[in-house]
Amino acid sequence: MLVYPPDKFFLRGNKQFFPFSFNDKKRVNRGGIHIYHFSQHPVVHVFHTETDKKFPRQFSFTGFFRMLHRKVNLDVGKHTGTFGRVHPFELHQSGGIRTETVFLHKERNENPVEQAYQIITVHPVENIVREGMFMPAYFGETANACALDRCIEHCADNFHWKEKYPVRDMGNGKVRAAGMALAMQGSCISNVDVGSCTLKLGDGGAYNMMIGAADMGTGCDTILAQMAAEVLDCDADQISVFGADTDASPYDSGSYASSTTYVTGMATQNAALQLRENIKKIGAGMLKCELEEVDFDGEKVYLIDGRKSVSLADIATKSQVNNLIPVDVTATYSSPVSPPPYMVGMVEIELDKETGSIEILDYQAVIDCGIPVNPNLARVQAEGGIGQGIGMALYENVTYNAQGKIAENSFMQYKIPTRLDMGRINVEFETSYEPSGPFGVKSIGEIVINTPAPALAHAIYRATGVWQRTVPFTPEKILMSMLDPQWKEIDRRVKES
């Protein structure tokens, strides 16, 4: 933890917050201001009691900084809020099917990047997480694989950021504006998630794979088969995947927390390595030589000098006769770390100042998920998540009456975007090699929903001069906030019947 004394902490604007009376017994912390290097970005904590009437209960804003009440202590749940306000999560509407809590946290906190710069004079690109940096607030992990700096440059080039930012007047009351957001996620819940894989050599020399992870559209059956095939030097078509069956599959925590590729992938790699070794042992016995004298090329075990070999089909047959070496192997893995993937999203919108309506023109994204095992699946995974994020940012909402009945109880009321509402979406990758992951991979499941809302809020702010604080960013909210910056939406989440 880096601790800066108050006299070294330079501020501009919002002078009502400073200076603090650090000797006041009502303050929880008398040292004043702590700057932490958090996983996504440094975190500024200003410590004070929630009973103090002079200051709001909680200040919280990020782009690259966040101020939190001491009692919250990095918890994004009960008392996470935005600058000068408190938003209890238990009153928030339902979230997305990907990473609900994280998305709501980012929607609440990540978008007011510019406000942080008005207070703390640090350039954003100079202050991002970079490869090799120690992250004390992120479980003491080190960013062993981080291409965030390259993601920013790559995305800016694709987007033509300099030409589009910040705003252009198109005439007839319409303006075009650009916004951006950065995000990170984890690759599992470290020291919790468990992944397992069973690999079996079949009669004819093909393989069966049994996993406990369910392919819910993530493509994990294909990806895990590719990983096993890479180790076993065969085509992925030679591996038959049998999905989750609690009676027969090895244990897996489940397809959640962006963990399948990273955690179950490592279990798959380990199982394949052990099966490969066992195949070589049986082959060496058949060739009447030592294990060190043979190798395996996916089709046969052969003497390194090339004199003799035995086919995989023959090894499969031998495994059923007078054999003590198993050709079905189960490996289980749980990771002590959770290396974060990173994402940059940039969006161009056209906003009608007379109606508040928004049209998305272009969305560019660049992701660092380590080494993409299957770039095509990773790309469509990202495109789908961005579409979900756009839906949550601009259209989707859930409101309740006093009896808890949902108003949006059909797709006539619950608005979701079509492909025509999303503009042009382009996803590309910057690679980094994560040493703790199978083949250098990190996750990509949940991170992709995190950037649309803060990026759109940034673009709307540039177009209108007003920050939008609650999703969805409807035309009504945007128009009313332009007419009256002090306008506040009536909270209709709990309303009279």
Side-chain angles (χ1 to χ4, degrees), residues 73 186 303 336 425:
N73 195 23
L303 287 169
I425 296 177

Side-chain angles (χ1 to χ4, degrees), residues 195-200 208-212 224 228 249-252 263-272 328-333:
S196 302
C197 174
T198 297
L199 275 170
K200 176 184 176 182
N208 294 331
M209 174 190 289
M210 286 158 281
I211 55 175
L224 296 175
S249 301
Y251 178 76
D252 195 290
V263 175
T264 309
M266 182 59 80
T268 300
Q269 176 182 277
N270 292 344
D328 56 331
V329 175
T330 298
T332 297
Y333 182 74

Side-chain angles (χ1 to χ4, degrees), residues 196-197 199 209-214 219-230 236 239 241 252 259-269 272 373 377 438-439:
S196 302
C197 174
L199 275 170
M209 174 190 289
M210 286 158 281
I211 55 175
C220 70
D221 287 0
T222 300
I223 291 168
L224 296 175
Q226 285 181 268
M227 290 183 175
E230 184 71 17
I239 300 177
V241 181
D252 195 290
S259 61
T260 303
T261 301
Y262 178 73
V263 175
T264 309
M266 182 59 80
T268 300
Q269 176 182 277
V373 175
L377 284 176
F439 304 102

Side-chain angles (χ1 to χ4, degrees), residues 175-397:
V175 295
R176 291 186 178 182
M180 73 170 291
L182 311 181
M184 66 159 283
Q185 192 78 26
S187 289
C188 65
I189 302 177
S190 56
N191 296 307
V192 172
D193 291 339
V194 174
S196 302
C197 174
T198 297
L199 275 170
K200 176 184 176 182
L201 176 63
D203 294 350
Y207 301 95
N208 294 331
M209 174 190 289
M210 286 158 281
I211 55 175
D215 193 329
M216 305 181 296
T218 59
C220 70
D221 287 0
T222 300
I223 291 168
L224 296 175
Q226 285 181 268
M227 290 183 175
E230 184 71 17
V231 175
L232 295 169
D233 283 321
C234 66
D235 293 332
D237 291 342
Q238 290 182 250
I239 300 177
S240 299
V241 181
F242 297 86
D245 180 342
T246 53
D247 288 332
S249 301
Y251 178 76
D252 195 290
S253 297
S255 300
Y256 82 114
S258 302
S259 61
T260 303
T261 301
Y262 178 73
V263 175
T264 309
M266 182 59 80
T268 300
Q269 176 182 277
N270 292 344
L273 288 169
Q274 184 60 56
L275 180 56
R276 180 187 177 95
E277 192 72 5
N278 289 357
I279 289 171
K280 289 170 61 178
K281 289 178 181 178
I282 295 174
M286 295 173 69
L287 294 170
K288 296 181 172 48
C289 65
E290 298 298 323
L291 178 62
E292 294 76 14
E293 299 179 65
V294 301
D295 204 352
F296 177 56
D297 64 3
E299 296 180 353
K300 61 184 181 298
V301 172
Y302 60 93
L303 287 169
I304 296 175
D305 61 16
R307 289 180 298 145
K308 291 191 295 183
S309 66
V310 57
S311 70
L312 183 61
D314 289 340
I315 292 173
T317 301
K318 176 63 177 71
S319 69
Q320 302 172 14
V321 180
N322 191 27
N323 175 53
L324 300 177
I325 302 172
V327 289
D328 56 331
V329 175
T330 298
T332 297
Y333 182 74
S334 184
S335 177
V337 295
S338 179
Y342 304 90
M343 179 177 178
V344 178
M346 297 184 180
V347 63
E348 181 185 20
I349 64 170
E350 184 170 278
L351 187 144
D352 189 333
K353 287 192 170 183
E354 295 181 359
T355 65
S357 64
I358 289 177
E359 179 184 359
I360 295 178
L361 304 177
D362 187 22
Y363 199 104
Q364 297 286 332
V366 178
I367 304 169
D368 165 23
C369 59
I371 303 296
V373 175
N374 189 314
N376 289 332
L377 284 176
R379 184 173 292 106
V380 297
Q381 174 98 247
E383 290 171 352
I386 290 169
Q388 286 182 306
I390 290 172
M392 294 184 70
L394 299 183
Y395 304 98
E396 302 176 43
N397 196 20

